[in-house]
Every structure is written in C-alpha cells, then in structure tokens.
Amino acid sequence: RGRAAAAAAAAAIAAAAALALYIRSRSRADLALDVDDQPVRSVLDTAPASAAPASATASAAGEAEKASDEELREQAKRAKERGNKRFQGRQFQRAIEEYTEAINISPDKSHKDVSVFYGNRAQCFASLDKHAE
C-alpha cells in the first residue's frame, strides 16, 4: 500500500516536473535569444542583394522547414511509441532511451508532445526507483 502511494506521488512529481520544463522551454522559445543574449537573426536577414526576393526565399524556406519539422515530429512520435512498448514490457531503461531520443529529435521543444515525452521518461525513472534522475 505504501509503495503504491509512493509511486503515485512520484508520478505526480514527474508530471509537475514535465510541465515546468515545458513552461521553461516555452518562455525561452518566445525570447529567441542566442548564447550572447542577442536577438536571433535569420539567415534571410543577411541574404546578399543578388538573392531571390525575400518573400520568395522566406516562402520556400518556410515550406522546407515546415516539411522537415513535420518529418522530425513524426520520427519523435515513432520513438515515443517504441518507448511505450518498452515500458509495457517493463524494459524501463530501454524506454528511457527511446523517450530521450524523442525529446532530442523534436524540432520544437515547446510543442506539447515534448512534455509528454518528459513525463513518460520520468515515469520510467520512477519505475526504476531512480526518483532523483
């Protein structure tokens, strides 16, 4: 009975930690500052005068980035699904690796799926009684 309560408490803490990480990453994404606390400049801001018009370049770059982001998001979801299967098979360490891969692959760390990846990974650590990690 006490172990079940401890597991429930660990799951609640893991969920709160995942939410905090999501909020933290969201605020950092909104700021968009580089390592020197300078506003991030787009490659389009420094394009040479002989380059295509900015609207055409921005449109093409936006479409390519969108397709690439969608592909990365799908890869992250597949890693999460592998992690879910590992978790169901009680292979917690392998599940942690899959969820970590999903986190690392995700192009937008402020996307809601990333908080789920963190929460799932935290549950794996709790299942291994590694609450500090």
Side-chain angles (χ1 to χ4, degrees):
R1 195 175 208 182
R3 191 159 169 81
I13 291 170
L19 179 60
L21 286 171
Y22 170 76
I23 291 169
R24 182 173 150 212
S25 68
R26 183 64 184 225
S27 63
R28 285 186 178 174
D30 291 343
L31 292 176
L33 299 176
D34 68 8
V35 293
D36 296 323
D37 291 332
Q38 297 298 316
V40 174
R41 294 189 56 166
S42 168
V43 174
L44 300 175
D45 293 340
T46 59
S50 62
S55 60
T57 306
S59 176
E63 289 176 22
E65 184 176 322
K66 186 176 181 180
S68 177
D69 284 357
E70 285 300 318
E71 183 178 312
L72 290 172
R73 200 169 282 122
E74 285 302 316
Q75 289 176 7
K77 285 183 180 183
R78 285 193 295 273
K80 175 193 167 237
E81 290 167 6
R82 290 191 304 269
N84 290 347
K85 289 181 182 178
R86 300 287 189 197
F87 184 84
Q88 290 170 354
R90 303 188 57 78
Q91 298 174 338
F92 301 121
Q93 190 60 47
R94 304 269 315 265
I96 288 169
E97 293 167 10
E98 295 293 351
Y99 294 132
T100 301
E101 181 180 345
I103 292 165
N104 292 337
I105 290 173
S106 296
D108 179 8
K109 301 300 187 229
S110 64
H111 193 274
K112 63 181 179 179
D113 288 345
V114 178
S115 63
V116 172
F117 305 154
Y118 276 110
N120 289 359
R121 187 175 72 173
Q123 184 59 45
C124 291
F125 282 121
S127 296
L128 291 171
D129 288 330
K130 295 183 177 180
H131 303 289
E133 295 180 41

